[in-house]
Amino acid sequence: MARRNSFAISIAAAALMAPALTYAKQAPAADAEARAAATVEQMSADEKVVLTHGIMALPFVPGTVIPADGLPGAGYIAGIARLGIPALTETDASLGVSWVGGARADGATPLPSGLSQAASWNPDILYKGGAMIGSEARAKGFNVLLAGGANLTRDPRNGRTFEYLSEDPLLTGILVGSAIKGVQSNHIISTIKHFALNGQETGRKFVNSVISEAAARESDLLAFQIGIEQGQPGSVMCSYNLVNGAHGCDSDWLLNQVLKRDWRYKGFVMSDWGAVPSIASALHGLDQQSGEQLDAKVFFAKDLQTKAAIDPAYAAKLADMNIRILSQIFKYHLDTNPAKPGTAIDFAANGAVAREAAEQGIVLLHNQNGALPLAASARRISVIGGYANSGVMSGAGSSQAQLPGGPSITIPLGGDGPFAALMQIQYHASSPLKAIKALNPGAQVIYRDGTTIADAVALAKKSDVAIVFATKWSTEGLDAADFSLPNGQDALIAAVAEANPNTIVVLETGNPVAMPWLAKTAAVLEAWYPGGQGGEAIANVLFGKVNPSGRLPITFPASADQLPRPAVDGYNDLEPNFTGDPPTPDAKLNADYNIEGSDVGYRWFARKQQKALFPFGFGLSYTTFASSGLKVSGLNASFTVKNTGSRQGATVGQVYLVSRAGEAKQRLVGFARVDLQPGASQVVKVTFDPRILADWKDGGWSLPAGDYAFALGDDAEHLGTPVTFHMVARRWKD
Ligand code: GLC
């Protein structure tokens, strides 16, 4: 039942948002599985430990040799030519084919950040983005894309927040499922990652996420469950961190019980790179050891073969491991439709996909007296800071993609170890200044780098409008200390706004940020890390060529004191190191997620009755909208959205549960993006996934009887009058 409903919600929502999506045909799973089982029967003992392990195919670890049929990229798993099984050539990641420090010296099309894509609340944008980056991966010869970052943004200071989608399981699950479908429409395998509860980068290889089963099932795990149902990823990448004392890649509970038994997942579990604690992980549900040079040992080769020869439990597991890997190779045609390196890439068309995603992801947070869109009459425009003359900020780590020609700016941060090459602040070569000038050729547009406040103020005073670009770098491996903008940008913005009340701030950040200068400014756009055409996207929104429609997929706190944890666990105690390795073998670090449980983000703010700086779901437009007429009957709801303004625009209708059987409880239960001409209205229909309404109890879902109150929301804080529906008690298993 639950599966049908979650499927229904995505169809209902998708149908409202875009023309019917067409997905690539794939071999029926059952045939692929049968063929896989038959193939394993033919395997020799040596062949049975070929697909179960592989290398990081990069020169970061001395002595690494990339085989002839491999490619410099995240990973390589040998094939079995005798049986027609191709090697697996693996690249990162969710935002495009990663640059890997220029190891291949070939560029790709960087999508905007995960948060930016999610701010569109549009599964079609995620699908098109996934299809595009998957096509580039395939064109370069990769047949596995390590995409599908689906961890909830449980701590908004997490260094990888920019890679992820949202704080809500429904929004995350539906969007990541669409992205995965898009990737796999190219006859390549996508992952979904990092399974599970990988909530911080500080001590990421030994931090222990402590959480009750119920809270996990109702939040982080539900995001993965919906994403796997919707996207059918060929592989799940397990996580570095521990969950309740067991490593993600060694957790019998997560991998064998939840994923493979309860969710009936038929794909394979690959480890994260250097995340395999022992050979016993095979018995605990791990199917493939990735980046084996980074582990203490290559467990899943000869050692596994030896174990399987003497221990029936390992022998049975080894057969299943191979069946799972092979079934996905066959299901997505990696053998019959192989990726061919050197295939032509249409970077212009792909750039347009990235630009559309960035445009739909930009969130208009503040707009006093119609300061935006910029009037064509603005003759003297000052553009200040953020390297806006050169490019837009991009997030660092394994997910970083760069345009052909590479980054426009690189600021090395030094450091040592295998990933030092990734520790660089880099900008995509897409200049907002150039795009602004192109849209307003008659204006005098002057740029100042913002490093000297007095210089910026002097320019601002002589301008009709001052646009300050503010950036905050974020990276895999490091979390943020706080929400402040670095390098004196807060002071710069305050001074410029003091000098010119018509000051517009464009934020390029990987996480929510504080805005002490907000009241002094005329307008604020959150452009996130806007990707390979981010400069053009920002200019199109500034000048109103595009009406901003982004809605926050993550809460912007008014202060860190509002969060479940005052700081990221371990942040103030540990020496930051990119790899997240423990300082000593016996080091312990707990992240107590039972504080908030499944009330992540806006749910926590509602429970604590706190007001955010900007709430989940918030975003302004150059027009206005009204939602009304909410009707709920069982799991079905409908409401009307009207464009009450004077220009075309898109918004996101949001339906929240606000109380259940008399107890206050806020959960997003439905959403749909609608695009309307002025004066037009549309009836939106959504179907609730009952798991969002339910509790996880005694091994299944439990919907208590009682009156459920639902409300339309412009965002998680601005809610309409609730309507109630009486639900009868129900219990069911996954
Ligand atoms: C990294 C990341 C993972 C990535 C993998 C391969 O450490 O955690 O997201 O796909 O290794 O680069």
Side-chain angles (χ1 to χ4, degrees), residues 74 92 146 160 163 193-194 204 237 240 272-273 398 419 476:
D92 282 308
L146 305 168
R160 296 185 83 169
E163 286 187 54
K193 67 185 184 181
H194 307 85
R204 66 178 180 166
M237 185 191 295
Y240 285 123
D272 202 337
W273 271 234
S398 58
F419 296 107
E476 173 179 343

Side-chain angles (χ1 to χ4, degrees), residues 121 551 616-619 626-628 630 639 641 651-658 666 668 670-672 710-721:
W121 292 54
R551 298 291 182 269
F616 174 83
F618 180 84
S627 298
S628 61
L630 176 61
F639 57 96
V641 181
T651 187
V652 178
Q654 302 161 40
V655 187
Y656 291 88
L657 170 75
V658 292
Q666 184 165 357
L668 176 73
F671 65 90
F710 300 91
L712 292 173
D714 293 335
D715 55 63
E717 282 182 10
H718 300 87
L719 299 167
T721 308

Side-chain angles (χ1 to χ4, degrees), residues 202-472:
T202 304
R204 66 178 180 166
K205 284 196 175 176
F206 69 103
V207 63
N208 179 30
S209 300
V210 179
I211 189 167
S212 71
E213 170 159 16
R217 293 265 193 170
E218 294 164 16
S219 56
D220 291 70
L221 297 188
L222 186 50
F224 275 88
Q225 187 175 14
I226 294 171
I228 289 168
E229 286 167 359
Q230 303 288 330
Q232 303 283 317
S235 182
V236 170
M237 185 191 295
C238 46
S239 61
Y240 285 123
N241 57 287
L242 289 83
V243 180
N244 296 329
H247 279 278
C249 294
D250 191 33
S251 170
D252 180 71
W253 172 62
L254 279 178
L255 305 181
N256 282 334
Q257 295 174 46
V258 175
L259 180 64
K260 294 180 177 178
R261 183 196 65 196
D262 295 351
W263 298 351
R264 293 171 289 285
Y265 180 66
K266 298 297 182 194
F268 66 98
V269 178
M270 69 163 75
S271 75
D272 202 337
W273 271 234
V276 183
S278 80
I279 192 165
S281 303
L283 297 180
H284 299 150
L286 180 64
D287 299 309
Q288 192 177 70
Q289 180 179 8
S290 313
E292 65 194 19
Q293 313 98 302
L294 301 170
D295 283 317
K297 199 163 192 249
V298 182
F299 298 108
F300 282 20
K302 281 294 172 213
D303 285 21
L304 183 57
Q305 183 176 354
T306 306
K307 276 282 191 186
I310 56 176
D311 181 333
Y314 274 95
K317 252 316 172 189
L318 184 55
D320 185 58
M321 291 157 80
N322 279 287
I323 288 171
R324 287 176 175 276
I325 298 166
L326 283 169
S327 66
Q328 303 311 308
I329 289 174
F330 298 151
K331 179 178 177 183
Y332 292 106
H333 305 295
L334 273 63
D335 58 333
T336 54
N337 196 337
K340 293 191 183 67
T343 307
I345 293 175
D346 184 344
F347 282 110
N350 291 354
V353 172
R355 191 184 64 249
E356 184 190 27
E359 287 168 349
Q360 288 201 20
I362 288 173
V363 183
L364 178 60
L365 292 174
H366 176 60
N367 192 18
Q368 289 289 81
N369 313 320
L372 287 179
L374 289 177
S377 58
R379 308 316 309 153
R380 288 169 305 178
I381 301 172
S382 55
V383 174
I384 298 166
Y387 290 103
N389 62 327
S390 175
V392 289
M393 175 65 85
S394 78
S398 58
S399 71
Q400 188 167 49
Q402 289 295 352
L403 290 164
S408 58
I409 292 174
T410 294
I411 305 166
L413 296 177
D416 48 28
F419 296 107
L422 299 180
M423 291 303 288
Q424 304 179 343
I425 298 176
Q426 294 188 338
Y427 283 67
H428 296 310
S430 169
S431 161
L433 176 68
K434 187 161 160 258
I436 288 169
K437 287 183 172 178
L439 287 185
N440 200 338
Q444 179 198 45
V445 183
I446 299 175
Y447 172 75
R448 282 286 190 279
D449 65 11
T451 48
T452 311
I453 288 184
D455 172 65
V457 163
L459 176 66
K461 280 181 176 163
K462 295 177 287 192
S463 305
D464 298 323
V465 58
I467 308 172
V468 184
F469 283 78
T471 66
K472 183 168 186 176

Side-chain angles (χ1 to χ4, degrees), residues 361-374 466-470 485 490 493 497 501-509 513-528 538 541-542 548 550 552 556 613-614 618-622:
I362 288 173
V363 183
L364 178 60
L365 292 174
H366 176 60
N367 192 18
Q368 289 289 81
N369 313 320
L372 287 179
L374 289 177
I467 308 172
V468 184
F469 283 78
L485 286 172
D490 282 327
I493 293 167
N502 198 15
T503 291
I504 289 154
V505 177
V506 179
L507 297 168
E508 295 172 19
T509 64
V513 290
M515 303 179 205
W517 33 260
L518 180 61
K520 293 184 177 151
T521 62
V524 179
L525 284 179
E526 174 58 76
W528 315 104
I538 290 168
V541 169
L542 284 171
L552 292 180
F556 275 49
L613 175 63
F614 291 105
F618 180 84
L620 300 175
S621 169
Y622 295 152

